[in-house]
Amino acid sequence: MDITPQEENMIKALREAALPPLYVLIRIRNEISNDTVNIEESRRDDVVQTLEKYIGPLWEDYHEGKTGSLA
């Protein structure tokens, strides 16, 4: 999958902000999912599905960590 210059700049900006990786992935997923002007539907769906594959395990780990620290 090729990354456009706009996508690369967005990734760099989020890295520089030192945000948590899970937050960044969710934010990127939402931005791409809602961008009906700049991203073709087929590409948008591919990128969203790919990001969701990465978000799912991180989300589970996050919730397990939260419940594990309360016990």
Side-chain angles (χ1 to χ4, degrees), residues 13-30:
L14 290 167
R15 282 184 182 160
E16 290 172 2
L19 297 169
L22 180 58
Y23 173 83
V24 171
L25 287 173
I26 292 170
R27 180 65 189 251
I28 290 172
R29 182 237 176 255
N30 292 343

Side-chain angles (χ1 to χ4, degrees), residues 1 22 25 47-59:
M1 176 171 74
L22 180 58
L25 287 173
V47 172
V48 167
Q49 288 176 2
T50 300
L51 286 170
E52 286 176 350
K53 288 179 187 176
Y54 292 105
I55 292 169
L58 291 172
W59 188 253

Side-chain angles (χ1 to χ4, degrees), residues 3-14:
I3 296 176
T4 66
Q6 182 182 15
E7 292 166 339
E8 186 174 348
N9 288 336
M10 183 173 60
I11 291 167
K12 285 180 183 177
L14 290 167

